PDB file of all heavy atoms in Angstrom:
ATOM      1  N   GLY A 187     122.561  18.691 -52.394  1.00 95.00           N
ATOM      2  CA  GLY A 187     122.434  18.395 -53.800  1.00 95.00           C
ATOM      3  C   GLY A 187     121.157  18.702 -54.412  1.00 95.00           C
ATOM      4  O   GLY A 187     120.843  18.341 -55.547  1.00 95.00           O
ATOM      5  N   GLU A 188     120.242  19.512 -53.699  1.00 96.00           N
ATOM      6  CA  GLU A 188     118.958  19.851 -54.288  1.00 96.00           C
ATOM      7  C   GLU A 188     119.128  20.836 -55.437  1.00 96.00           C
ATOM      8  O   GLU A 188     119.967  21.721 -55.361  1.00 96.00           O
ATOM      9  CB  GLU A 188     118.084  20.427 -53.213  1.00 96.00           C
ATOM     10  CG  GLU A 188     116.646  20.701 -53.760  1.00 96.00           C
ATOM     11  CD  GLU A 188     115.587  21.066 -52.705  1.00 96.00           C
ATOM     12  OE1 GLU A 188     115.857  21.983 -51.891  1.00 96.00           O
ATOM     13  OE2 GLU A 188     114.543  20.371 -52.667  1.00 96.00           O
ATOM     14  N   SER A 189     118.336  20.655 -56.499  1.00 96.00           N
ATOM     15  CA  SER A 189     118.437  21.513 -57.632  1.00 96.00           C
ATOM     16  C   SER A 189     117.705  22.872 -57.405  1.00 96.00           C
ATOM     17  O   SER A 189     116.904  22.979 -56.497  1.00 96.00           O
ATOM     18  CB  SER A 189     117.801  20.873 -58.866  1.00 96.00           C
ATOM     19  OG  SER A 189     116.364  20.835 -58.645  1.00 96.00           O
ATOM     20  N   VAL A 190     118.154  23.889 -58.215  1.00 96.00           N
ATOM     21  CA  VAL A 190     117.482  25.206 -58.125  1.00 96.00           C
ATOM     22  C   VAL A 190     115.994  25.062 -58.375  1.00 96.00           C
ATOM     23  O   VAL A 190     115.150  25.654 -57.724  1.00 96.00           O
ATOM     24  CB  VAL A 190     118.177  26.162 -59.088  1.00 96.00           C
ATOM     25  CG1 VAL A 190     117.235  27.404 -59.324  1.00 96.00           C
ATOM     26  CG2 VAL A 190     119.531  26.560 -58.618  1.00 96.00           C
ATOM     27  N   SER A 191     115.685  24.242 -59.409  1.00 97.00           N
ATOM     28  CA  SER A 191     114.257  24.014 -59.723  1.00 97.00           C
ATOM     29  C   SER A 191     113.452  23.535 -58.564  1.00 97.00           C
ATOM     30  O   SER A 191     112.332  24.043 -58.272  1.00 97.00           O
ATOM     31  CB  SER A 191     114.134  22.977 -60.937  1.00 97.00           C
ATOM     32  OG  SER A 191     114.765  23.509 -62.002  1.00 97.00           O
ATOM     33  N   ASP A 192     113.968  22.513 -57.935  1.00 97.00           N
ATOM     34  CA  ASP A 192     113.178  21.897 -56.778  1.00 97.00           C
ATOM     35  C   ASP A 192     113.145  22.860 -55.584  1.00 97.00           C
ATOM     36  O   ASP A 192     112.122  22.962 -54.903  1.00 97.00           O
ATOM     37  CB  ASP A 192     113.848  20.599 -56.298  1.00 97.00           C
ATOM     38  CG  ASP A 192     113.520  19.410 -57.293  1.00 97.00           C
ATOM     39  OD1 ASP A 192     112.809  19.690 -58.258  1.00 97.00           O
ATOM     40  OD2 ASP A 192     114.061  18.348 -57.045  1.00 97.00           O
ATOM     41  N   THR A 193     114.212  23.637 -55.420  1.00 97.00           N
ATOM     42  CA  THR A 193     114.244  24.664 -54.353  1.00 97.00           C
ATOM     43  C   THR A 193     113.092  25.619 -54.551  1.00 97.00           C
ATOM     44  O   THR A 193     112.321  25.908 -53.691  1.00 97.00           O
ATOM     45  CB  THR A 193     115.581  25.410 -54.242  1.00 97.00           C
ATOM     46  OG1 THR A 193     116.611  24.388 -54.044  1.00 97.00           O
ATOM     47  CG2 THR A 193     115.592  26.426 -53.110  1.00 97.00           C
ATOM     48  N   VAL A 194     112.996  26.238 -55.773  1.00 97.00           N
ATOM     49  CA  VAL A 194     111.998  27.290 -55.962  1.00 97.00           C
ATOM     50  C   VAL A 194     110.540  26.718 -56.009  1.00 97.00           C
ATOM     51  O   VAL A 194     109.653  27.317 -55.571  1.00 97.00           O
ATOM     52  CB  VAL A 194     112.258  28.132 -57.168  1.00 97.00           C
ATOM     53  CG1 VAL A 194     113.536  28.931 -56.928  1.00 97.00           C
ATOM     54  CG2 VAL A 194     112.233  27.354 -58.501  1.00 97.00           C
ATOM     55  N   ARG A 195     110.463  25.441 -56.501  1.00 97.00           N
ATOM     56  CA  ARG A 195     109.092  24.812 -56.457  1.00 97.00           C
ATOM     57  C   ARG A 195     108.606  24.579 -55.100  1.00 97.00           C
ATOM     58  O   ARG A 195     107.426  24.611 -54.776  1.00 97.00           O
ATOM     59  CB  ARG A 195     109.084  23.510 -57.279  1.00 97.00           C
ATOM     60  CG  ARG A 195     109.198  23.797 -58.785  1.00 97.00           C
ATOM     61  CD  ARG A 195     109.324  22.537 -59.569  1.00 97.00           C
ATOM     62  NE  ARG A 195     108.092  21.677 -59.573  1.00 97.00           N
ATOM     63  CZ  ARG A 195     108.029  20.568 -60.145  1.00 97.00           C
ATOM     64  NH1 ARG A 195     108.988  20.013 -60.815  1.00 97.00           N
ATOM     65  NH2 ARG A 195     106.830  19.892 -60.120  1.00 97.00           N
ATOM     66  N   THR A 196     109.587  24.430 -54.185  1.00 97.00           N
ATOM     67  CA  THR A 196     109.246  24.253 -52.715  1.00 97.00           C
ATOM     68  C   THR A 196     108.909  25.614 -52.139  1.00 97.00           C
ATOM     69  O   THR A 196     107.889  25.779 -51.452  1.00 97.00           O
ATOM     70  CB  THR A 196     110.450  23.548 -52.000  1.00 97.00           C
ATOM     71  OG1 THR A 196     110.699  22.427 -52.670  1.00 97.00           O
ATOM     72  CG2 THR A 196     110.117  23.412 -50.519  1.00 97.00           C
ATOM     73  N   VAL A 197     109.806  26.582 -52.443  1.00 98.00           N
ATOM     74  CA  VAL A 197     109.604  27.894 -51.782  1.00 98.00           C
ATOM     75  C   VAL A 197     108.379  28.604 -52.207  1.00 98.00           C
ATOM     76  O   VAL A 197     107.771  29.376 -51.418  1.00 98.00           O
ATOM     77  CB  VAL A 197     110.893  28.741 -51.953  1.00 98.00           C
ATOM     78  CG1 VAL A 197     110.746  30.165 -51.504  1.00 98.00           C
ATOM     79  CG2 VAL A 197     112.103  28.126 -51.248  1.00 98.00           C
ATOM     80  N   GLU A 198     107.885  28.348 -53.417  1.00 97.00           N
ATOM     81  CA  GLU A 198     106.652  29.046 -53.790  1.00 97.00           C
ATOM     82  C   GLU A 198     105.467  28.664 -52.991  1.00 97.00           C
ATOM     83  O   GLU A 198     104.454  29.442 -53.031  1.00 97.00           O
ATOM     84  CB  GLU A 198     106.408  28.903 -55.350  1.00 97.00           C
ATOM     85  CG  GLU A 198     105.886  27.582 -55.788  1.00 97.00           C
ATOM     86  CD  GLU A 198     105.434  27.534 -57.237  1.00 97.00           C
ATOM     87  OE1 GLU A 198     105.353  28.627 -57.814  1.00 97.00           O
ATOM     88  OE2 GLU A 198     105.353  26.385 -57.797  1.00 97.00           O
TER      89      GLU A 198
END
Side-chain angles (χ1 to χ4, degrees):
E188 187 169 52
S189 68
V190 165
S191 300
D192 285 359
T193 301
V194 296
R195 286 176 71 181
T196 303
V197 171
E198 75 175 343

